[in-house]
Amino acid sequence: MALPPANEGEKSLALCRLSAPTSLRFEPVGRWYEANIRRRQHGLSSHHSSSSASSSAGSEGGFSSDEEDHNFLLTLDPTDCKHQDHYKVLGLGKLRHRATASDIKKAFRKMVLKHHPDKKTKKEELFKKTFSDEDLFACITAANDILSSKEKRRAYDSVDPMFDDTIPSVNANSRSNFFEVYGPVFERNSRWSKVQPVPPLGNVNSTFEEVDNFYSFWYSFDSWREYSYLDEEEKEKGENRDERRWIEKQNKVMRQKRKKEEVARIRTLVDNAYACDFRIKKFKDEEKENKLAEKKAKEQAARAAAEEKERLRLEVLENERKLKEKEEQEAREKAQAAKVEKTKIKNIMKKERKTIRTTIKNYDYFVQDEESRIREMEVMDRLLEVISLESLQSFREGIEKAQSKDEVKEIYEREMEQMREKMRQEANAETKQSSKNKENDEMPNDDWTEDQTQLLIKAVNLFPAGTASRWKVIADYVNMHAKTGTLRDSKHVIKKVKNLKKLDPTLKQEVNRNAFAKFDKDHQPGKAAAASEPDLTVRYDASQSGECAQQMSAWTSEEQRLLENALRTYPTSTPERWERIAEAVPGRTKKECMKRYKDLVERVKAKKAAQSKGNAA
């Protein structure tokens, strides 16, 4: 036996010697052999079997069905075809919902050729005894009717008795063997989805997007599974319209109930898988780490931004400091230069004055006697101290250019007259400005009436230094009690008080005498006892200065007596003196008692002043 030659570039290598060829005998196999076996089993003639076998073989075209289960066929009940396994009846128990319409058609044809009553010439003893060909063919026909109709097959597939509805529980095995436990469950339940293809469960290396897409799909799972096949009663069996409606209503209620149970089952499946999926924990840990990293990055960025802001702030402060130092240095240099320049000008002016004095002195100030010479020297010195450098230089140049004493005298007198005139003009301008400022700042004083002046003096004595908002209180007191004159404010009062201090003491005494005369006139004995009291001398608070003084009701003789007794009973050292005095005078408050006491003190002082005046006269 020769081996084929090696190709170009290849080498042959013999590892061992080849064994000698042998011949083997094989059993006959193939479709013709199978046809022969079927003829023997069913007792068919060679002519009939060959034609049927050839036709069935040509029609099947490579289709393979399950082996026929005679025991299962014997259990079929033609009166209860609804509860039989239609796929198994047609020999499609393994394909089931995966069988195509062509597969169902071929399987039905095969069963018809095999079990149709007209196709059999000899029956087995077992079938003769227990099962007729008509009953078996009725079950086959019922299965074909269900599976060949798209709607009926869909209803039957929804309640496929061979489908496993179980859900894995959450335990250690489900967590450790997650993909092995839940992978097949999701795969067989994916057949119910209206949306195809269904996202896969994935593996250990699945990304977050893939896992999230998987659970999002199953949490919003939309199933086409329906339960009309399990209706206990058929609507068509109703005797009338009402009964058919009632049957339809009952069937609809049961379908909705089973649909809810299916939705709850799918949701439980997804919840259990989510609880056992270790990838979820990994993704959560990664998300947590990412968030911590982002937070840390933000903190670092914020810290860097704060540091940069602080650096810029310090840089701005440093620049400002340098700029300020530069400005201060320039200011110092300018001040130093100005000082040097001022000193230089001062020296020049000093030199100019000395030259002028020397020149004028040489001519004896153009006077004859000593007294006039001294007076002229003083006037010239005073004038030379106030004139500017330009004037001094002009003066010096004029007297230096003069050729004779008369020319020098003429220049001297002209310059001195000009300097005097200039000084007079400056003095007049200053006087006018001072007068103008004085007029602007001066308050109206001449329009104070005698009544206002007396009230002002009285208020100044009544409200001594230390009173809160003293000048405002005095102004309010004057405005409130004055019957004539314009209203006054604190500035007017201060100005008037300053002017009064400058008055002659006799004028002050005259004002005081006029005030006492008015007081004595108002308190003459002939007036009614119930007449209203004069203005009380009370201390006003700043908060109440704008209000009118509260008029006190007239004190009776009994109240006066009780007040005098209480004043003697409770001296100034008594704690809470005025509260006790007010308790001793029924109908009078503490404030009223204090006001009455002050009024009495004022009257006594006025009486003593009048007596001293009479004695002096």
Side-chain angles (χ1 to χ4, degrees):
M1 182 176 180
L3 295 174
N7 297 327
E8 183 177 358
E10 294 181 351
K11 294 182 181 181
S12 299
L13 178 62
L15 298 177
C16 62
R17 295 183 64 182
L18 297 177
S19 60
T22 58
S23 61
L24 299 175
R25 183 178 179 181
F26 295 95
E27 293 291 335
V29 295
R31 59 176 182 167
W32 301 110
Y33 177 76
E34 292 177 355
N36 186 32
I37 295 301
R38 282 196 295 271
R39 283 197 306 272
R40 292 181 182 179
Q41 289 178 348
H42 295 287
L44 300 176
S45 62
S46 110
H47 175 74
H48 178 79
S49 62
S50 61
S51 62
S52 63
S54 61
S55 62
S56 64
S59 63
E60 288 174 7
F63 165 75
S64 61
S65 60
D66 300 341
E67 293 183 2
E68 189 174 293
D69 188 353
H70 294 284
N71 294 328
F72 171 74
L73 296 177
L74 292 175
T75 60
L76 297 178
D77 184 3
T79 61
D80 191 18
C81 295
K82 182 176 181 180
H83 297 91
Q84 68 182 11
D85 188 346
H86 300 303
Y87 286 109
K88 195 170 183 180
V89 169
L90 296 181
L92 300 174
K94 294 181 179 180
L95 291 177
R96 305 193 73 79
H97 69 280
R98 294 187 299 273
T100 63
S102 178
D103 294 339
I104 295 173
K105 184 177 181 181
K106 292 176 183 178
F108 175 68
R109 185 173 183 180
K110 178 181 177 180
M111 294 299 292
V112 169
L113 292 175
K114 186 174 181 180
H115 296 287
H116 196 280
D118 296 339
K119 296 291 184 178
K120 290 188 177 183
T121 59
K122 184 180 180 181
K123 298 180 176 62
E124 296 181 358
E125 295 296 331
L126 183 62
F127 278 81
K128 289 179 181 179
K129 296 180 180 179
T130 60
F131 205 65
S132 65
D133 291 336
E134 288 79 5
D135 294 339
L136 177 60
F137 190 74
C139 294
I140 295 172
T141 303
N144 181 64
D145 290 341
I146 295 296
L147 299 180
S148 60
S149 173
K150 186 176 181 180
E151 292 76 13
K152 293 180 179 181
R153 183 185 180 187
R154 185 184 184 91
Y156 177 72
D157 287 342
S158 297
V159 295
D160 190 350
M162 301 304 295
F163 180 76
D164 187 5
D165 280 337
T166 59
I167 297 174
S169 59
V170 179
N171 51 40
N173 180 51
S174 300
R175 291 189 174 92
S176 58
N177 301 306
F178 175 74
F179 296 104
E180 292 78 4
V181 173
Y182 284 95
V185 179
F186 280 105
E187 183 178 358
R188 66 173 176 261
N189 281 277
S190 63
R191 60 182 285 195
W192 310 123
S193 175
K194 291 183 180 180
V195 181
Q196 295 292 340
V198 177
L201 180 61
N203 50 41
V204 180
N205 300 322
S206 297
T207 62
F208 173 79
E209 289 74 15
E210 294 174 348
V211 176
D212 183 68
N213 184 34
F214 172 80
Y215 283 107
S216 298
F217 177 86
W218 280 96
Y219 271 119
S220 58
F221 187 78
D222 189 8
S223 175
W224 56 263
R225 198 173 186 182
E226 50 96 7
Y227 300 92
S228 61
Y229 190 83
L230 298 179
D231 293 345
E232 296 182 357
E233 299 185 24
E234 296 181 5
K235 182 175 66 173
E236 290 75 8
K237 294 182 179 180
E239 297 181 356
N240 51 48
R241 184 175 62 182
D242 294 337
E243 185 176 357
R244 287 192 293 270
R245 286 182 177 178
W246 182 85
I247 294 173
E248 178 64 21
K249 183 177 179 181
Q250 295 298 319
N251 292 337
K252 186 176 181 180
V253 170
M254 294 305 299
R255 292 175 193 173
Q256 291 177 351
K257 180 181 179 181
R258 293 187 178 98
K259 186 69 175 181
K260 289 182 180 179
E261 293 175 354
E262 174 65 10
V263 171
R265 186 185 70 85
I266 295 294
R267 185 59 182 260
T268 304
L269 169 63
V270 181
D271 289 340
N272 291 354
Y274 190 88
C276 296
D277 195 346
F278 59 91
R279 297 174 299 178
I280 301 299
K281 184 177 183 302
K282 181 183 71 172
F283 292 143
K284 288 183 177 180
D285 294 340
E286 291 177 355
E287 183 180 4
K288 185 177 180 181
E289 293 176 357
N290 293 336
K291 287 184 178 180
L292 291 176
E294 291 178 0
K295 183 178 179 181
K296 187 175 181 181
K298 288 182 180 180
E299 291 177 353
Q300 292 177 353
R303 192 180 304 110
E307 293 175 355
E308 180 66 16
K309 185 177 180 180
E310 181 66 16
R311 185 188 66 79
L312 293 175
R313 188 183 69 82
L314 294 176
E315 184 177 353
V316 171
L317 292 177
E318 182 66 17
N319 294 335
E320 291 178 355
R321 184 186 65 80
K322 291 181 180 180
L323 181 60
K324 186 176 180 180
E325 290 180 354
K326 184 179 178 181
E327 292 176 352
E328 292 177 352
Q329 181 64 23
E330 293 177 354
R332 285 194 296 269
E333 292 176 356
K334 288 181 180 180
Q336 186 66 23
K339 185 177 180 181
V340 172
E341 183 67 21
K342 185 177 181 180
T343 304
K344 183 179 178 180
I345 294 174
K346 185 177 180 181
N347 294 333
I348 294 173
M349 293 179 68
K350 185 176 181 182
K351 185 177 180 180
E352 295 290 341
R353 293 188 188 100
K354 184 178 180 180
T355 303
I356 295 172
R357 287 192 187 99
T358 304
T359 304
I360 302 301
K361 184 179 180 182
N362 292 336
Y363 293 105
D364 292 332
Y365 297 98
F366 304 103
V367 293
Q368 300 300 327
D369 56 336
E370 185 66 23
E371 183 178 355
S372 299
R373 188 181 301 112
I374 293 174
R375 185 172 60 254
E376 196 68 24
M377 181 180 62
E378 291 177 354
V379 172
M380 186 187 69
D381 290 341
R382 191 162 56 250
L383 293 174
L384 291 178
E385 291 295 333
V386 298
I387 63 177
S388 62
L389 177 60
E390 291 77 7
S391 301
L392 289 173
Q393 290 177 346
S394 176
F395 190 7
R396 191 255 310 161
E397 292 175 356
I399 61 177
E400 285 181 352
K401 292 179 181 179
Q403 300 298 328
S404 62
K405 180 178 179 180
D406 294 334
E407 292 181 0
V408 174
K409 181 178 180 181
E410 183 180 356
I411 294 172
Y412 171 73
E413 291 177 351
R414 185 176 66 249
E415 290 293 336
M416 294 298 289
E417 185 62 28
Q418 290 178 358
M419 286 188 285
R420 288 191 184 96
E421 183 64 25
K422 185 177 180 180
M423 291 179 65
R424 284 194 294 270
Q425 291 177 359
E426 291 178 356
N428 292 334
E430 184 177 356
T431 302
K432 290 180 180 180
Q433 185 66 28
S434 300
S435 301
K436 185 177 180 180
N437 295 337
K438 186 175 181 181
E439 290 176 359
N440 293 335
D441 297 337
E442 189 175 4
M443 301 297 176
N445 297 315
D446 298 334
D447 57 347
W448 279 74
T449 63
E450 182 181 356
D451 187 26
Q452 287 180 328
T453 305
Q454 294 175 1
L455 289 172
L456 175 62
I457 296 173
K458 182 178 180 180
V460 169
N461 296 327
L462 186 61
F463 306 104
T467 304
S469 303
R470 182 191 184 197
W471 300 113
K472 185 177 183 301
V473 171
I474 292 174
D476 293 337
Y477 181 87
V478 173
N479 294 332
M480 182 172 60
H481 292 85
K483 299 179 180 178
T484 60
T486 59
L487 296 177
R488 305 297 176 179
D489 58 10
S490 57
K491 292 183 179 180
H492 296 154
V493 170
I494 294 172
K495 189 68 176 179
K496 184 63 176 177
V497 170
K498 288 182 179 179
N499 292 335
L500 289 175
K501 288 182 178 179
K502 298 177 183 179
L503 294 176
D504 186 73
T506 57
L507 183 59
K508 291 184 179 180
Q509 294 176 2
E510 181 65 22
V511 172
N512 290 332
R513 284 195 297 271
N514 293 337
F516 176 76
K518 181 180 179 182
F519 178 84
D520 188 56
K521 180 180 179 181
D522 294 337
H523 294 80
Q524 289 180 359
K527 292 192 175 182
S532 61
E533 294 283 341
D535 295 334
L536 298 178
T537 57
V538 295
R539 188 177 299 273
Y540 293 85
D541 294 334
S543 59
Q544 299 175 346
S545 58
E547 300 179 0
C548 294
Q550 180 181 5
Q551 298 294 331
M552 296 173 56
S553 58
W555 282 67
T556 64
S557 58
E558 180 64 21
E559 290 176 342
Q560 182 67 28
R561 184 183 63 78
L562 292 175
L563 176 62
E564 293 176 357
N565 293 336
L567 289 172
R568 288 190 292 267
T569 304
Y570 304 107
T572 56
S573 59
T574 304
E576 300 181 356
R577 181 192 183 198
W578 290 107
E579 287 79 357
R580 297 186 179 184
I581 291 175
E583 293 176 359
V585 182
R588 295 293 179 177
T589 62
K590 171 185 172 182
K591 189 175 181 180
E592 291 176 340
C593 293
M594 293 176 67
K595 289 181 180 180
R596 182 63 177 175
Y597 172 74
K598 291 179 181 179
D599 187 35
L600 292 174
V601 170
E602 187 177 348
R603 292 184 182 184
V604 171
K605 287 182 179 180
K607 186 175 181 180
K608 289 182 179 180
Q611 291 176 356
S612 61
K613 178 182 175 182
N615 295 332

